[in-house]
Every structure is written in structure tokens, then in C-alpha cells.
Amino acid sequence: MPEMIASNGYYVAAAYAVGWLCILGYLLRLHSLLRRSREALAHAKTIGGAP
Amino acid sequence: MLARRFGAQWVLRGVSLELRSGVAAGLVGANGSGKSTLLRLLCTLLRPTAGTASVFGADIASEPDRVRELVGFFSPVPGVYEDLTAMENIRFAATMLGRPAGSAASALERTGLASVANERVRGFSSGMLRRLSLARLLVHRPRLLLLDEPYNNFDAPGTALLNDVIRETLAFGGSALIVVHDVASAMPVVNEWFSLTGGKMSPSAAIPVGSPSPSIIPALGMSGVLH
Amino acid sequence: MTAAAAFTLEVPNPGRWPIFGWFAVLFLAGAQITAFAISPPDRDMGDLQKILYVHVPTAWNMGICYLLVAIYSFRFLWKRDDRDDLIAASAAEVGTLLNGLTLVLGMIWARPTWGVWWVWDARLTSTLIMFLVFAGYLALRAFVEEPDRRALWSAVAGIMGAINYPIVYMSVRWWRTIHQVQSTPSTLDPTYTFSLRLNAVAVLFILIYFIRRRYEAALTERVAEQVSQAAALGGPLNA
Amino acid sequence: MAFRDEWLRARAVAWKDLMAERRSKAGFNSVAALGVTILVLFGFALGPDAEAIRAAAPGALWLAALFAGVLAFNRSYQVELDGGALEPLLMYPGARRSIFAGKLLANFVFVFLLLVIVIAVSLVLFHITVPSTWPRLLLVVLLGEVGLVTLGTFYAAMASRSRAREVLLPLLLFPMLVPVLLAAMQATKALLVGDVMHDAGAWTNLLVAYDVIFLISTFLAFDYVIEA
């Protein structure tokens, strides 16, 4: 029943694809969160004129 | 050095005040200067971010229960149950305070609400609501009165009644801290004045001190015991 | 003003964490490749078993995240240090991500194995319930603005959520279970368990990196919030 | 001595909540009507076939109680929030758990009355014959209600004071209720057919265990929740 084994390959591929998609997606989210929070801090400091 | 931070802003940066018993202190200050925050700290509604304060020996952070027994907070918001009648409200307060049920009736009597005792609070005017929360204070009989703008929209008899209650509290060794704009109404009872600006407290020489016993209040940390 | 200074939060610097990030990603790739290389084809599951190399480690690490949420929530209730709150929040977010991934991978594995996408089985169902519990946790954090209240409430919700996991698992288990009986790693052939553990460690590195950087972003945002608030309400923070 | 004071305070809080509820009347009627509506909708969803409806009756009954109950939980803190009465309540001396106990009691009575209606209507709508094991069924209903009301009152203490409370309470509450609802539904289902499989006992014991766990944890956590 080769067809059965072959289709399994799709599921395995799908699983790893989803796995890496999540990791890369979250890395992007982290990147933007970090950038945005640093911008917010810089912006806040300019208004506050804190030392 | 009592301090309280909301997010970043030090609303109170280091208030130090020692209030002797039998003293009514008036507290003036611009809006947002931390006056009501100080009161809410003293009555354990807020936790201090730094520093300590004790009321008649009970520390507000570690012994909130004892403090709540000793402190009465008279705030502009009456905080009563509109669907309940005046008597039901005060009797509920009496039960929660562990006071005898009978004290509710006499408190309503004293504040002139006996005639409307069985009416629902929903229809009460703001003056009547203030009397109702004053009645709650009478049931409680706290040793430290924390009054937040007590004289606002209070008619003449109401103000007189309030000052009587303050004097009675001072008489039995209690104290009062009154946050006030309307300095004139508080004049008959207050014997020390403080001003709170930018979260810092200082004895306020600006306001003439009408107190019979002009005692110098050492600027000790709030950790000074109010005794 | 030492009392005040002690309580202000310092901005964390990234330091060498980005390098650790690269290391974690490469290590995961390496772990997956080794697992592929050394795992003998399982007699009946064919190469479907390879899905387990990413499904099971993700599930384990999800558990670790929720444990971290509980631990840092307890610490917050005890010490009231804002940093613990932010770590708990970061661990919850990463945990929820891993939770979602575990569910999707579980379904991808269930389809060829049992012919259906979803199975009302003890472990999958309790993982789904935990996903909803922590969706509630994240919603609570989103809906409550005031930092002190948000921190306190989410600490409580986090602990209650963590308590609920074993309870949900046991109750669903008695309700019904056709999930592979929890095969303790030792009973299976050693290469399989080695691959599982290797990948589990790899996902753990990813997890640590994610939480640390998410925490960094949250802390920076909190400091920015404080600085702007202080400025708005007069006088820099530690004047 | 202290326990007696706490009980008096809890009873006063419960009495105050129930009195305010009775006076505003609208509350209970609308919640009960919602419960019945949900039962009717279940009837439509499961089709006229008597057998299918009877099989689904336990689930329908508990879900109706759950969805209607959620409205009651948020309302129980509304009585404080409307008049700004929460702060005076927090300033009364004595442990705050008596406030939680009082709210729990009031909600228990409210949801009990709701359950009476929901059960009566579902007996009729779902053609349920009262089984010989009805005393044990009543016990299961009460135990299930304890779990529902405990967690509902606890999470409403947070949800009622934040934005979008109608969304936040179900989102927080339902996942936590899964074990209680599962046990309650399974025990009810078994007892409705006279517990022929003798597994109602196991589920009932489970229900007791859940109630104890959630009662203890919510009582411990309430001080932190109400303090903020």
C-alpha cells in the first residue's frame, strides 16, 4: 500500500512546516515588539527630558 | 516616608506627618497633589509602595484589620445601596462593623433621617446622602476620622453636625485629618494646617494656625505613631 | 530618594541573547535532522512517527511554560515585584503559542492515524482546555489597563489555570481515552526516546529565548510607560 | 468567636444582595427566561425525536444553568459598583472572605431558584420521567451548582470590574468549569436512567472533590482579587 505511505509523507512535511512557521512567525513578532517598545522608550524620554 | 506609586508617578513622595490624639489637622493642596491618595492609604484601600504608617499603633500594611476598626473614611462618594432603605443600609453597616443593631436607629435620629428611615435611598438628595454616610460614621465611631472634602454641598446644619462629630471624636482621644478646600467651614475645629504639593507634605505656615495648642509637629516619617 | 530608586525598573539590554537565539534555532534544526537520521521506521506507523518528534517535545515544553507562569505568579503575589509579573506574562504567551502548535500537530498526527482530525481524548482535550484557559488569561491582561490590578489578577488567574490542568486531565481521562497509553520513554526503543529528549531540549532552548526576549520587550514597554507617565504628571521619576 | 462574626457578616452580605435583587425584580425574571429559552433552543436543535432529546437532556439542562448563571454572577457585583459601595464594603474590619462567602451564598440561592425552573421546564420539554434515583440526582444538582457558583462568583469579582465583562467572564469561567460540568453531566445522565451502569457514584465523588478544591483555592485567592 505505497499510496498510504506516500501520503503520510505529506502529513510529516506539514507538521514540520507548521512547526517552523510558528517559530519564524513568533521571531518576527518578537522583532517588531522589541523595535516598537524601544521606539516608545526613546519617544518617552525625549518628552520627559529625563536625564 | 510614606510613598505610593501609580505606574510611574510618585503620587506621594515621602509624606511625613505625626498627628497627636485630640488633634484635627486640616490638609490643603491643589487637586492631584495626592491628598485623597494619602487618605486612601491610611484607610487601607491602597497599599503603600514604600514607607509605613501606623494608626494608633496599628501598621497599615501589616495590620490592616486593626486599622479598619480604628479608621472611618468620609468620602464624597456616599457608597450606599440604592435599592435598600436608609435603615437597611445603616443596619447593614452596623452588622459589618460588629456594632449593636440599635445603634442604627440612633444614628439616623441624630442625622435627621429618622423620618425617611424606611424609604429607599434611590430617591435621596445629595445632602441626605451625605447625612446617611455621616450616620454610618456615627455607628462606627472610629478613633481616626479621615474626611475628604466633607463640607462640599452640605447645608449649614449639616456642617454644624459634622463639626460636632469631629469635636466628639477629639474629645474621646481620637484625631481627624480633613482634606478641604472650604477652609472657612473647617476653621472652628481644625487646630493644625498642612499643605500637600507635588506629593510632598510640609507644615503650612501660610494658613494662620488657629489651633489653641500650637504644637510643633516634628516632620517625622509617617511611621510616627498617631497616639 | 533611595526608596523610590529601588522600585524603578531598569531597561534590560539584549546582551548576547541574539546569539543564543541563533544557536537555539540551529540546535533545533540539528536535533530534527538527527532524529530523522537515526530513527528506524516504526513497523506500523511508517514515518508518521516523525511527527511525534516535534509534537511531543512541544507538548512537554508547553507544560514547562505553564509551570513557569504558576511559579512567577506565586512569586509576584509574595514579593509584588513587577518583573515577576512580566515574566509570567511572557511565559504565558509563549506557552499559549506552544499549546496551539501542540494541538495542530496533534491533529496532523490524528488524521492519518485515526482517520479524523479531532479525537475527544484525554490529553488532546485537556490541552485544548488549557489553550482556552490561557486565552482567558491573555484576554484578562488585555482588558485590564491599570498595571497593579492587571498584575495581581493575572497572577491569580495564572495560578488557578495551572491548578486546573491536572484536574481537567484526570476528569477527561475518566470520561474516555483512546490516546496512546502514556508510553513512558523507557519502554520504547532507545533511539526513539533519545530523539524525543534531544528535540525536547532543543525546543526548551527556543522557549528560553522566546520568553527572555518577550520579557525584554514587555519590560522596555513598561519603563517607557512609566517614563512618559512621570513626565506627564510633572518631574522626572527620580528627581 | 471570630467565626461567628464572619458568619454574621457573610449572612448580612448575602441578605443585602438578595434584598437588592428582589427589589429590582427584573434581574431574576430575565435570567430565568433566558434559561428556559436555551432549553427550547436545545429542543429545536435536537429535533422532535424524543429519544435524541432525552439523551441530550443532562447536557442541555446544565448548559442552560451555565449560560443563565453567568448573567447572575456579573450582576452580583453590580450592586456594589452602581452605588460606589465597594470601597465602604472593603473598609469594614474583618476578613474579606466573609464578603466572598456572602456573595457565594446569595448567588447559590439565586442559581438554585433558577435551577428549579430550568429542571421543571426540562422535565416537561424533554419528556423525562422522574427516575427512582431522584434523591441522588438532587444531590448531584446541588454539588454541580456549588462548583458553578464558586467559580462563577470568584471570576466575576474580576470580570465585573473590567471592560467587556460580558465577554471576559465566560472566557475565564467556562474552561475552568470543564471538570465540574463534565462530572455533573455524566452523573446526571447516569442517574436519569436509574444508574444502571453504577458509575454515577464515581462521578459524584469526583464532583465533591472538585467542589472542595475550587472552594479552598477561591477562598484563598479572593483576598488578592478584591484588594486590587
Side-chain angles (χ1 to χ4, degrees):
Chain A
M1 34 147 197
E3 152 271 331
M4 169 69 177
I5 303 295
S7 71
N8 282 356
Y10 293 134
Y11 290 109
V12 174
Y16 282 81
V18 165
W20 282 101
L21 258 172
C22 269
I23 290 177
L24 297 178
Y26 197 72
L27 280 172
L28 286 176
R29 172 175 159 79
L30 274 181
H31 184 67
S32 75
L33 276 175
L34 282 164
R35 191 171 38 78
R36 261 212 315 253
S37 58
R38 276 199 211 101
E39 277 163 13
L41 183 61
H43 180 62
K45 278 199 169 127
T46 49
I47 306 173
Chain B
M1 294 283 281
L2 198 60
R4 167 71 195 191
R5 172 167 65 85
F6 285 115
Q9 176 52 15
W10 288 93
V11 177
L12 284 174
R13 286 170 187 264
V15 166
S16 57
L17 166 71
E18 184 181 306
L19 202 55
R20 302 223 185 301
S21 72
V23 164
L27 187 59
V28 292
N31 273 344
S33 62
K35 301 197 298 297
S36 57
T37 305
L38 175 62
L39 294 190
R40 291 156 69 82
L41 275 169
L42 278 177
C43 60
T44 72
L45 280 180
L46 289 176
R47 283 171 72 112
T49 315
T52 63
S54 64
V55 172
F56 294 104
D59 179 84
I60 59 171
S62 58
E63 296 161 300
D65 231 22
R66 270 183 63 202
V67 173
R68 289 181 199 129
E69 180 62 41
L70 297 163
V71 169
F73 182 43
F74 186 82
S75 93
V77 175
V80 285
Y81 300 101
E82 287 155 359
D83 285 323
L84 300 186
T85 67
M87 177 58 87
E88 285 163 349
N89 267 288
I90 300 304
R91 192 166 286 150
F92 173 70
T95 313
M96 296 301 280
L97 289 160
R99 298 300 193 264
S103 57
S106 54
L108 286 175
E109 200 81 38
R110 179 105 190 266
T111 51
L113 292 172
S115 57
V116 290
N118 296 323
E119 278 167 38
R120 285 192 204 170
V121 167
R122 195 175 288 282
F124 278 25
S125 71
S126 66
M128 289 162 80
L129 285 174
R130 292 191 78 79
R131 288 170 181 274
L132 194 59
S133 53
L134 187 56
R136 187 169 49 197
L137 218 55
L138 283 172
V139 167
H140 186 184
R141 276 287 175 216
R143 284 189 68 185
L144 173 63
L145 287 177
L146 299 173
L147 308 169
D148 195 350
E149 311 283 358
Y151 300 105
N152 289 11
N153 62 48
F154 221 175
D155 47 25
T159 307
L161 176 61
L162 181 60
N163 285 341
D164 286 348
V165 171
I166 295 171
R167 280 193 204 90
E168 283 161 21
T169 307
L170 300 189
F172 71 74
S175 316
L177 186 59
I178 309 166
V179 163
V180 70
H181 275 300
D182 169 5
V183 170
S185 314
M187 198 50 79
V189 279
V190 166
N191 32 42
E192 261 117 47
W193 286 100
F194 291 89
S195 78
L196 192 61
T197 44
K200 286 198 171 63
M201 175 177 278
S202 52
S204 159
I207 311 274
V209 175
S211 89
S213 60
S215 55
I216 306 299
I217 302 289
L220 284 180
M222 197 56 148
S223 54
V225 172
L226 299 166
H227 46 69
Chain C
M1 287 307 286
T2 52
F7 276 87
T8 54
L9 299 163
E10 302 82 23
V11 181
N13 59 60
R16 281 194 302 282
W17 278 101
I19 303 166
F20 177 78
W22 283 111
F23 160 72
V25 170
L26 293 177
F27 187 88
L28 177 62
Q32 286 178 348
I33 292 165
T34 7
F36 266 64
I38 63 167
S39 76
D42 186 280
R43 279 165 324 286
D44 43 16
M45 275 203 286
D47 42 22
L48 276 181
Q49 180 192 338
K50 292 187 174 59
I51 297 177
L52 295 185
Y53 292 142
V54 61
H55 172 60
V56 173
T58 311
W60 286 348
N61 280 284
M62 169 195 79
I64 292 173
C65 279
Y66 290 145
L67 193 63
L68 284 174
V69 171
I71 291 168
Y72 280 95
S73 298
F74 269 117
R75 253 170 70 99
F76 175 79
L77 290 182
W78 179 36
K79 286 229 198 68
R80 296 297 168 97
D81 182 341
D82 288 344
R83 286 177 297 226
D84 293 332
D85 165 49
L86 295 178
I87 296 173
S90 310
E93 186 173 298
V94 174
T96 309
L97 173 80
L98 293 183
N99 195 330
L101 182 56
T102 307
L103 287 170
V104 170
L105 295 175
M107 286 194 279
I108 294 176
W109 188 67
R111 179 76 177 124
T113 314
W114 293 322
V116 282
W117 287 108
W118 179 257
V119 163
W120 288 98
D121 130 273
R123 266 220 299 270
L124 267 181
T125 310
S126 37
T127 310
L128 175 60
I129 302 298
M130 285 311 287
F131 186 81
L132 298 174
V133 166
F134 276 91
Y137 173 94
L138 295 174
L140 178 66
R141 286 196 78 92
F143 283 134
V144 178
E145 280 85 27
E146 205 258 324
D148 297 342
R149 173 181 286 188
R150 176 178 57 199
L152 204 56
W153 284 2
S154 41
V156 167
I159 293 169
M160 291 291 284
I163 292 175
N164 205 30
Y165 185 38
I167 297 174
V168 166
Y169 179 71
M170 297 318 294
S171 53
V172 173
R173 187 185 178 83
W174 281 321
W175 179 42
R176 55 177 306 187
T177 181
I178 53 174
H179 201 287
Q180 221 177 349
V181 170
Q182 171 72 11
S183 50
T184 51
S186 60
T187 57
L188 291 165
D189 72 62
T191 54
Y192 173 71
T193 56
F194 169 74
S195 309
L196 274 190
R197 290 210 183 108
L198 182 66
N199 276 275
V201 169
V203 175
L204 183 64
F205 289 150
I206 299 279
L207 159 89
I208 291 168
Y209 177 70
F210 277 0
I211 292 179
R212 170 52 177 73
R213 297 312 300 273
R214 182 65 186 82
Y215 166 67
E216 185 185 322
L219 190 54
T220 314
E221 197 184 306
R222 175 67 72 83
V223 172
E225 205 180 87
Q226 289 187 352
V227 168
S228 59
Q229 227 177 21
L233 290 170
L237 196 53
N238 18 37
Chain D
M1 227 337 250
F3 181 74
R4 214 177 71 78
D5 295 344
E6 278 180 34
W7 161 245
L8 288 179
R9 270 199 297 276
R11 200 182 54 181
V13 168
W15 178 84
K16 174 258 301 177
D17 277 10
L18 287 172
M19 187 57 74
E21 189 56 49
R22 203 164 65 87
R23 293 261 170 81
S24 69
K25 211 58 197 133
F28 182 77
N29 298 349
S30 53
V31 170
L34 176 67
V36 172
T37 312
I38 292 171
L39 287 175
V40 171
L41 292 178
F42 265 104
F44 291 140
L46 300 164
D49 156 33
E51 205 38 51
I53 290 186
R54 194 175 294 118
L61 180 127
W62 279 106
L63 287 182
L66 178 68
F67 289 120
V70 165
L71 298 181
F73 299 139
N74 262 334
R75 279 178 56 79
S76 80
Y77 290 92
Q78 211 51 44
V79 73
E80 259 75 33
L81 299 174
D82 289 347
L86 185 60
E87 282 187 350
L89 187 62
L90 292 180
M91 281 184 19
Y92 292 128
R96 297 216 170 134
R97 54 174 175 267
S98 49
I99 298 171
F100 183 59
K103 291 252 173 234
L104 218 58
L105 212 57
N107 283 334
F108 187 85
V109 169
F110 187 95
V111 170
F112 179 79
L113 296 176
L114 173 71
L115 271 173
V116 165
I117 293 175
V118 164
I119 291 174
V121 169
S122 54
L123 286 179
V124 170
L125 287 188
F126 298 149
H127 323 297
I128 299 168
T129 55
V130 179
S132 61
T133 55
W134 66 268
R136 287 175 60 192
L137 193 57
L138 182 61
L139 174 66
V140 163
V141 166
L142 290 176
L143 287 173
E145 190 201 342
V146 165
L148 172 64
V149 168
T150 304
L151 283 171
T153 310
F154 176 71
Y155 279 101
M158 294 191 260
S160 61
R161 288 192 286 162
S162 54
R163 292 189 327 207
R165 63 169 69 89
E166 299 74 21
V167 174
L168 193 56
L169 181 57
L171 199 51
L172 288 173
L173 179 59
F174 291 176
M176 293 294 292
L177 269 177
V178 162
V180 171
L181 280 177
L182 197 57
M185 284 177 186
Q186 293 306 316
T188 311
K189 186 176 288 186
L191 287 168
L192 272 183
V193 294
D195 192 15
V196 285
M197 301 281 287
H198 302 300
D199 58 359
W203 287 113
T204 312
N205 298 341
L206 218 56
L207 211 44
V208 172
Y210 294 153
D211 287 347
V212 168
I213 293 170
F214 287 131
L215 270 168
I216 291 172
S217 49
T218 49
F219 262 94
L220 291 177
F222 184 75
D223 277 28
Y224 294 104
V225 165
I226 205 69
E227 169 202 327

